[in-house]
């Protein structure tokens, strides 16, 4: 079939590069990619619209799941073309499902498409949101448009995302997708991925290693800024860190043996001394200002992330953030926990490695999916965050040990994988190969009031207190 407009998520190598055999394969598409491609086609190709006059005249639509009193195209005065998330966007995706994926439709796939729209809207990502909400601007429920209808979906990928996209499919002669089950993103088996500088950080220094965290007393801490504050809580002793084990891990970074893989950065040992906001290139985006007290952080640009110096792998840990007056009135803030692989040039909660709650409107985020939670917090408030990570079994302990950076090695990404037989195929979205910790959870507190669990069943990993600020 024909390639849809705006879709350039393909891996191509010419005859000369491959020594005589062209390669043309399909990269993995996220829900954000699919929704963006859909709106791009609805905007620029009227014949592709599922609710155009010719398609309505052919027959009554038997698919009641797409029924709506409104549909696109609609224009409301800002020169953008709006479409309904269900009647237009979801219906287009349904009609082109086999173009995007080979997986089956789950019961809540339309919700996944809707979440991709709201999470990546200009309301949630003011600096570079992809989608414009008709509800927010014109009180038109369910209507969405492209913020910039000339930008291809791939142009929103960060350099790190571009380097780590996974090749998922090859093509049959009729153009249908054939799922690849034995290759990683670059189609070769290797112990580690090709070295790539982490987005937004310098690469001239190696991260510090060695040492163990020192114990401190938990409790309320002072200091902070509009973007964060002193990180309190008990950072524990070395006994709380994963110990060595020679048993086989459930996940491995040694060799890519299946298509179910993800690129990660190696964990590093906690430095000696008390916890503070880290200036290390592995922990903070270069745009973040971390003041001399190592407790106050702020950023007057778009969303970035900074992490604390010490991370935890098991136990109950708590820190607090005092919110001070913002640098700009249009500020926003996210506070949570992130693994070292969490993207620094994005807000906490952007990927599968981090979890956060936003200040306004109060929303919890993980893997760029947001949902309402708790209460808004503002200057003068104190936000507390509790993480509970249960005791690890031997396999989980060895898994974390295998992820660690070893002094003397070059610090670069590696490919973490699990056997293909362990991949769940009935999920609505592509799940990462990270083991889930049963019984783990994140709980937030506002001015001492418990807001209840925000997240449960976290992915196995070493977590650092993390702060993301926007214009503040």
């Amino acid at each position: 079939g024909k390639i849809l407009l705006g879709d350039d998520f393909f891996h191509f190598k010419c005859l000369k590069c491959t020594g005589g055999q062209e390669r043309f394969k399909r990269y993995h598409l996220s829900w954000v990619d699919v929704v963006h491609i859909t709106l791009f086609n609805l905007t620029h190709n009227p014949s592709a619209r599922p609710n155009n006059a010719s398609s309505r005249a052919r027959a009554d639509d038997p698919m009641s799941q797409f029924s709506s009193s409104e549909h696109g195209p609609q224009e409301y005065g800002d020169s953008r073309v709006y479409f309904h998330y269900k009647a237009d966007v979801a219906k287009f995706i349904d009609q082109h499902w086999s173009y995007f994926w080979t997986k089956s439709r789950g019961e809540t796939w339309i919700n996944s498409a809707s979440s991709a729209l709201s999470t990546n809207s200009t309301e949630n990502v003011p600096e570079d949101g992809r989608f414009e909400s008709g509800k927010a601007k014109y009180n038109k429920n369910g209507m969405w448009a492209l913020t910039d209808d000339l930008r291809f979906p791939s142009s929103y990928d960060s350099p790190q995302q571009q380097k780590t996209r996974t090749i998922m499919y090859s093509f049959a002669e009729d153009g249908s997708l054939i799922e690849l089950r034995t290759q990683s993103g670059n189609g070769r088996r290797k112990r580690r991925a090709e070295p790539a500088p982490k987005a937004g950080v310098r690469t001239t220094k190696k991260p510090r290693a060695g040492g163990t965290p020192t114990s401190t007393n938990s409790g309320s801490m002072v200091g902070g800024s509009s973007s964060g504050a002193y990180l309190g809580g008990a950072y524990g002793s070395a006994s709380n860190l994963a110990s060595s084990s020679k048993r086989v891990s459930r996940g491995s970074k040694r060799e890519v043996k299946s298509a179910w893989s993800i690129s990660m950065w190696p964990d590093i040992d906690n430095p000696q001394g008390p916890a503070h906001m880290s200036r290390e290139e592995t922990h903070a985006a270069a745009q973040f200002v971390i003041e001399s007290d190592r407790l106050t952080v702020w950023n007057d640009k778009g969303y970035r992330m900074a992490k604390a110096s010490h991370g935890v792998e098991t136990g109950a840990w708590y820190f607090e953030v005092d919110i001070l007056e913002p640098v700009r009135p249009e500020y926003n803030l996210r506070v949570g926990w992130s693994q070292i692989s969490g993207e620094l040039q994005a807000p906490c909660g952007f990927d599968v490695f981090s979890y956060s709650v936003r200040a306004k409107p109060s929303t919890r985020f993980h893997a760029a999916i947001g949902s309402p939670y708790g209460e808004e917090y503002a200057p003068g408030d104190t936000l507390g965050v509790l993480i509970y990570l249960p005791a690890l079994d031997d396999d989980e302990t060895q898994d974390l040990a295998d992820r660690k950076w070893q002094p003397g090695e070059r610090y670069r990404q590696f490919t973490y994988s699990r056997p293909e037989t362990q991949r769940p195929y009935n999920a609505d979205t592509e799940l990462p190969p990270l083991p889930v910790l049963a019984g783990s959870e994140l709980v937030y507190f506002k001015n001492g009031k418990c807001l209840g669990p925000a997240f449960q069943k976290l992915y196995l990993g070493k977590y650092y207190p993390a702060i993301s600020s926007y214009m503040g």
Side-chain angles (χ1 to χ4, degrees):
K2 294 182 178 179
I3 295 175
L4 293 176
L5 298 178
D7 181 10
D8 59 354
F9 293 104
F10 299 100
H11 174 83
F12 174 73
K13 286 193 175 181
C14 66
L15 293 172
K16 184 176 181 181
C17 297
T18 59
Q21 184 177 3
E22 283 187 347
R23 295 178 185 172
F24 188 69
K25 302 183 186 298
R26 155 70 84 189
Y27 283 118
H28 163 70
L29 296 178
S30 68
W31 270 109
V32 178
D33 300 325
V34 170
V35 168
H36 197 148
I37 291 171
T38 296
L39 275 175
F40 197 92
N41 280 267
L42 293 175
T43 301
H44 295 288
N45 186 9
S47 64
R49 296 168 184 169
N51 292 295
N52 60 29
S54 60
S55 66
R56 289 198 302 272
R58 282 195 292 269
D60 292 335
D61 186 358
M63 296 177 288
S64 60
Q65 67 184 123
F66 306 119
S67 63
S68 171
S69 59
E70 298 224 26
H71 63 75
Q74 300 288 342
E75 296 186 31
Y76 303 122
D78 62 358
S79 75
R80 296 185 175 93
V81 185
Y82 287 78
F83 297 90
H84 193 270
Y85 84 94
K86 186 184 294 185
D88 300 303
V89 175
K91 192 172 182 179
F92 183 96
I93 294 173
D94 182 72
Q95 293 173 348
H96 296 81
W97 189 272
S98 61
Y99 174 89
F100 298 121
W101 295 301
T102 59
K103 66 183 181 181
S104 60
R105 297 165 179 78
E107 293 182 358
T108 61
W109 72 268
I110 295 179
N111 292 337
S112 297
S114 177
S115 294
L117 285 165
S118 60
T119 303
N120 294 273
S121 69
T122 53
E123 287 185 287
N124 288 328
V125 190
E127 185 182 47
D128 204 23
R130 302 180 185 217
F131 311 122
E132 199 74 38
S133 168
K135 168 65 175 177
K137 292 190 71 174
Y138 303 106
N139 199 30
K140 298 293 183 180
N141 288 326
M143 302 301 289
W144 291 90
L146 292 175
T147 303
D148 183 347
D149 62 13
L150 297 181
R151 284 188 66 176
F152 273 34
S154 61
S155 69
Y156 287 86
D157 279 3
S158 68
Q160 182 179 1
Q161 288 173 308
Q162 293 172 3
K163 292 176 180 293
T164 57
R165 272 197 181 267
T166 301
I167 296 174
M168 289 294 293
Y169 304 103
S170 62
F171 292 92
E173 292 185 0
D174 63 359
S176 60
L177 299 175
I178 301 174
E179 186 169 357
L180 299 175
R181 299 178 179 272
T182 59
Q183 292 183 330
S184 66
N186 54 22
R188 292 178 291 174
R189 294 183 178 183
K190 54 174 59 183
R191 182 170 179 266
R192 291 194 171 173
E194 291 295 334
K198 195 165 186 179
V201 298
R202 297 184 301 275
T203 57
T204 55
K205 297 191 299 181
K206 290 185 177 180
R208 291 181 295 175
T212 56
T214 57
S215 299
T216 62
N217 294 325
S218 61
S220 300
M221 302 295 173
V222 295
S225 76
S226 63
S227 341
Y230 190 85
L231 300 178
Y235 268 95
S237 63
S239 62
N240 282 321
L241 299 178
S243 59
S244 299
S245 170
K246 295 184 178 180
R247 293 186 60 180
V248 178
S249 168
R250 287 192 291 177
S252 173
K253 72 175 183 180
R254 299 302 175 189
E255 184 178 1
V256 179
K257 295 184 178 179
S258 76
W260 199 27
S261 60
I262 192 170
S263 293
M264 300 177 66
W265 293 90
D267 285 319
I268 59 177
D269 290 333
N270 291 335
Q272 296 180 346
H276 54 271
M277 292 304 295
S278 177
R279 291 175 176 168
E280 292 291 337
E281 58 212 42
T282 53
H283 287 58
Q287 298 89 341
F288 248 104
V289 176
I290 300 176
E291 297 190 358
S292 59
D293 60 2
R294 295 293 186 96
L295 307 175
T296 305
V297 297
W298 57 277
N299 164 45
D300 64 356
K301 302 291 185 183
Y303 266 127
R304 305 290 189 268
M305 181 159 63
K307 305 168 191 172
S309 55
H310 292 57
V312 298
E313 297 172 342
T314 184
W317 306 90
Y318 177 84
F319 72 92
E320 289 185 335
V321 175
D322 289 343
I323 315 300
L324 301 186
E325 290 299 322
V327 176
R328 301 186 185 183
E330 64 269 31
Y331 86 100
N332 216 326
L333 177 67
R334 295 192 194 183
V335 178
W337 292 79
S338 173
Q339 296 187 34
I340 201 166
S341 295
E343 174 60 65
L344 297 176
Q345 293 294 325
C348 188
F350 170 77
D351 51 35
V352 299
F353 300 110
S354 60
Y355 303 80
S356 71
V357 167
R358 184 178 58 189
K360 54 178 184 178
S362 184
T363 311
R364 55 188 168 192
F365 282 97
H366 172 64
I369 300 297
S371 61
Y373 168 82
E375 304 173 1
E376 291 190 0
Y377 54 94
D381 290 329
T382 297
L383 191 72
V385 193
L386 171 69
I387 189 171
Y388 174 69
L389 304 171
L392 307 180
D393 61 28
D394 290 342
D395 285 349
E396 292 164 339
T397 300
Q398 184 60 41
D399 190 329
L400 293 186
D402 286 342
R403 302 183 195 181
K404 286 188 175 181
W405 175 70
Q406 300 300 320
E409 288 186 353
R410 184 175 181 179
Y411 190 78
R412 58 183 181 179
Q413 285 183 304
F414 64 89
T415 300
Y416 178 98
S417 65
R418 289 172 69 189
E420 182 68 30
T421 55
Q422 296 181 13
R423 183 206 291 260
Y425 283 97
N426 59 346
D428 289 339
T429 56
E430 291 293 334
L431 297 176
L434 303 172
V436 174
L437 282 178
S440 59
E441 66 177 3
L442 277 182
V443 181
Y444 283 76
F445 299 78
K446 177 183 174 182
N447 301 326
K449 174 186 174 182
C450 180
L451 303 179
F455 303 97
Q456 296 177 316
K457 296 182 179 180
L458 312 181
Y459 288 124
L460 174 68
K462 182 177 182 179
Y463 285 92
Y464 300 81
I467 292 172
S468 292
S469 72
Y470 173 81
M471 301 291 184

